[in-house]
């Protein structure tokens, strides 16, 4: 039997344990109190061995889903939330994460008459209650708990047995089993792991809200995104009431879905037919604009590409893109230069894309090129023309909506 020496550090003042030496005890706050206690541990001798199952003998269980009855949310989740799953929602501060998930919890509770729990570490019960009332979702099935200690939350969940739980937000919750303040990497990992285990064991669906950093990614350990079953982002055009719910990882569904909502005084209303939601009809016929078509699973959504080209003859021409990756725009400019023989190097080029396209969406290469051509030629694009298609470095067009258009050299004939 192999023996292994394990080190544990113990506070000589209050006996608090830690895996590593700490200068100050997080429990009793005494300095230099940690001593190293070596323990002998019997290495795995095979007792932990579990029976492995041949894949042919695994029971084929369908995903047991719960429908919230908010279509835009259920569709993004792949047809409802899977029982016992853990979902993470990220988004900018003030974008409407708490509002969206209050609607999700409240609607599910009302429609299904099942208990749900809103755990708020950020707002008091009164603040959460105010929002619930504003959305008209108060019910005896929707419980609110203002709590930040994981052990208390777990005890409350065990006694209430809710079907759906919201943790708002993961960065405010801490476990007393480990040191570090709420939001610290170790705490976020520990609490998420505990939530994951709880969700799987008790078959409760849990949603956690995560803060995002300045560059738009989820704050905290990247591991968080690997641990959970589903990762959603809630996004918006700046100064617009439209909100987009986008899955970036879903173990139980597709990630090319989006949910569209509109923020108003009554909260977030789902937009049932968002085809023309992101375009301004009044921009039709304006030089430099072109409509693009995005295919999101079974739905089509229009977006608008606006380009402004200025012949400033400057030494250092500016290129800027909003709602799109500048690198991709530069690649498209290179393809235009090569195959249409238009020298754009000395021009200032500004581009803006409205709508739910992703920053590196290739479906809208063709309308982007069309919008650049419109601004460069100072001609407006034919009314009603909607384009989509991906451009390769050889100028070939893949998946064009225009019959017979398969290379960029033939594009201009279709535009004006
Ligand atoms: P909130 O859900 O608190 O954002 P987050 O949790 O992402 O930080 O939303 C805050 C904004 O939403 C706030 O500016 C007010 C607005 N709002 C409405 O416009 N209508 C409403 O019914 C509610 C509840 C909020
Ligand atoms: Mg919030």
């Amino acid at each position: 039997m192999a023996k292994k020496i394990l080190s544990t550090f113990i506070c000589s003042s209050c006996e608090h344990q830690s895996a590593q030496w700490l200068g100050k005890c997080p429990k009793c706050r005494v300095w230099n109190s940690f001593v190293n206690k070596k323990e002998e541990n019997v290495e795995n001798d095979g007792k932990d061995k579990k029976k492995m199952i041949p894949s042919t003998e695994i029971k084929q269980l369908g995903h047991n889903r719960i429908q919230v009855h908010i279509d835009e949310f259920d569709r993004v989740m792949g047809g409802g939330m899977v029982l016992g799953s853990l979902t993470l929602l990220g988004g900018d501060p003030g974008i409407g994460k708490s509002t969206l998930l209050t609607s999700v919890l409240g609607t599910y509770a009302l429609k299904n008459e099942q208990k749900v729990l809103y755990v708020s570490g950020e707002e008091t019960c009164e603040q959460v209650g105010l929002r619930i009332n504003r959305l008209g979702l108060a019910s005896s099935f929707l419980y609110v708990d203002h709590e930040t200690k994981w052990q208390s939350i777990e005890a409350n969940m065990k006694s209430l047995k809710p079907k759906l739980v919201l943790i708002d937000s993961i960065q405010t919750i801490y476990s007393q089993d480990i040191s570090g303040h709420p939001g610290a990497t170790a705490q976020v990992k520990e609490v998420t792991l505990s939530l994951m285990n709880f969700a799987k064991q008790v078959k409760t669906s849990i949603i956690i809200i995560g803060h995002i950093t300045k560059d738009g990614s989820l704050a905290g350990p990247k591991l968080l995104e690997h641990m959970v079953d589903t990762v959603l982002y809630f996004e918006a055009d700046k100064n617009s009431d439209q909100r987009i719910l986008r899955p970036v990882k879903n173990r139980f569904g597709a990630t090319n879905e989006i949910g569209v909502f509109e923020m108003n005084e009554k909260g977030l209303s789902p937009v049932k037919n968002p085809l023309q939601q992101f375009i301004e009809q009044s921009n039709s016929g304006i030089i430099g604009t072109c409509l693009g078509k995005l295919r999101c699973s079974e739905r089509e959504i229009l977006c608008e590409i606006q380009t402004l080209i200025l012949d400033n003859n400057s030494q250092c021409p500016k290129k800027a893109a909003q709602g799109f990756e500048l690198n991709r725009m530069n690649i498209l400019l290179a393809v235009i230069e090569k195959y249409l023989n238009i020298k754009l190097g000395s021009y200032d080029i500004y581009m803006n894309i409205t709508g739910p396209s992703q920053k590196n969406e290739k479906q809208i290469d063709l309308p982007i090129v069309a919008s650049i051509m419109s601004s460069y030629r100072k001609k407006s694009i034919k009314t009603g023309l909607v384009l989509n298609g991906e451009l390769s470095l050889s100028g070939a067009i893949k998946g064009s909506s225009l019959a017979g258009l398969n290379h960029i050299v033939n594009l201009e004939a279709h535009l004006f």
Side-chain angles (χ1 to χ4, degrees), residues 92-99 131 134 263-267:
D92 283 329
I95 205 88
K97 300 181 292 299
S98 302
T99 307
R131 191 185 305 114
R134 198 168 159 192
M263 181 69 105
N264 50 40
E265 67 288 349
K266 290 206 183 96

Side-chain angles (χ1 to χ4, degrees), residues 379-408:
K379 286 187 195 169
S380 60
I381 282 174
K382 271 191 233 164
T383 319
L385 189 71
V386 179
L387 297 174
N388 81 319
E390 183 183 332
L391 213 63
S392 76
L393 290 184
S394 64
I397 299 165
K398 205 168 92 185
S400 163
S401 48
L402 291 184
L405 181 61
N406 50 22
H407 198 277
I408 189 175

Side-chain angles (χ1 to χ4, degrees), residues 59 83 103 109 123 186 254 359:
K59 273 190 235 153
L83 260 185
S103 298
E123 295 166 293
K359 288 202 171 272

Side-chain angles (χ1 to χ4, degrees), residues 43-332:
E43 216 172 49
N44 193 338
D45 55 3
K47 275 190 201 144
D48 286 344
K49 207 169 80 182
K50 256 184 92 190
K51 193 175 168 245
M52 290 168 278
I53 316 170
S55 56
T56 46
E57 286 176 26
I58 299 173
K59 273 190 235 153
Q60 294 292 310
L61 297 174
H63 294 313
N64 212 345
R65 292 183 190 268
I66 55 174
Q67 256 86 37
V68 171
H69 297 292
I70 298 177
D71 287 350
E72 289 300 291
F73 182 82
D74 286 338
R75 223 199 28 261
V76 167
M77 295 302 292
M81 293 193 69
V82 170
L83 260 185
S85 66
L86 188 61
T87 301
L88 172 64
L89 175 75
D92 283 329
I95 205 88
K97 300 181 292 299
S98 302
T99 307
L100 172 74
L101 294 177
T102 304
S103 298
V104 166
L105 254 68
T107 309
Y108 174 77
L110 273 177
K111 296 246 162 115
N112 297 279
E113 302 199 335
Q114 296 274 1
K115 279 185 278 184
V116 298
L117 176 63
Y118 190 132
V119 180
S120 174
E122 292 187 354
E123 295 166 293
T124 61
C125 289
E126 289 72 25
Q127 285 173 305
V128 176
L130 209 65
R131 191 185 305 114
I132 294 172
N133 281 316
R134 198 168 159 192
L135 303 181
L137 291 169
S139 78
S140 57
F141 297 101
L142 173 52
Y143 288 74
V144 182
D145 182 16
H146 175 51
E147 182 56 72
T148 52
K149 186 159 91 184
W150 159 246
Q151 282 73 14
S152 306
I153 296 168
E154 186 183 27
N156 283 349
M157 291 200 295
K158 276 182 178 157
S159 78
L160 184 68
K161 297 189 176 57
K163 273 268 176 293
L164 187 56
V165 177
L166 168 63
I167 307 287
D168 187 359
S169 64
I170 189 71
Q171 278 86 1
T172 58
I173 313 294
Y174 72 97
S175 165
Q176 63 182 12
D177 289 346
I178 58 165
S179 55
H181 53 82
T185 301
Q187 285 288 6
V188 171
K189 272 192 212 166
E190 170 75 16
V191 176
T192 307
L193 195 65
S194 307
L195 283 165
M196 187 64 152
N197 290 337
F198 187 92
K200 300 271 177 268
Q201 277 163 18
V202 187
K203 292 269 176 264
T204 292
S205 300
I206 303 180
I207 311 177
I208 53 186
I209 289 179
H211 291 166
I212 63 169
T213 57
K214 268 190 196 150
D215 68 358
S217 57
L218 273 154
K222 192 76 187 159
L223 189 78
L224 195 61
E225 290 178 58
H226 294 293
M227 282 161 79
V228 301
D229 297 308
T230 307
V231 180
L232 307 171
Y233 275 87
F234 205 35
E235 307 165 346
D237 275 353
K238 285 271 172 282
N239 308 322
S240 120
D241 293 332
Q242 272 113 25
R243 300 283 185 274
I244 296 152
L245 184 65
R246 190 193 296 283
V248 292
K249 166 185 171 177
N250 191 354
R251 285 186 181 148
F252 313 113
T255 50
N256 63 343
E257 270 297 354
I258 60 162
V260 184
F261 297 86
E262 203 167 47
M263 181 69 105
N264 50 40
E265 67 288 349
K266 290 206 183 96
L268 285 156
S269 315
V271 178
K272 283 210 170 81
N273 182 11
L275 177 71
Q276 308 216 345
Q277 190 73 16
F278 300 94
I279 58 167
E280 290 280 346
Q281 295 293 353
S282 55
N283 281 355
S284 162
I286 289 182
I287 289 173
T289 66
C290 182
L291 293 182
K293 188 162 60 182
L294 293 162
R295 227 173 258 128
C296 304
S297 200
E298 282 159 26
R299 287 196 305 190
E300 284 184 344
I301 296 179
L302 299 186
C303 64
E304 187 177 284
I305 294 111
Q306 305 154 0
T307 304
L308 178 65
I309 296 186
L310 298 174
D311 187 6
N312 277 347
N313 233 341
S314 74
Q315 291 294 316
C316 211
K318 293 192 195 83
K319 305 269 186 288
Q322 250 182 2
F324 196 65
E325 217 175 58
L326 188 60
N327 197 27
R328 185 76 195 152
M329 180 176 117
N330 283 326
I331 290 174
L332 297 178

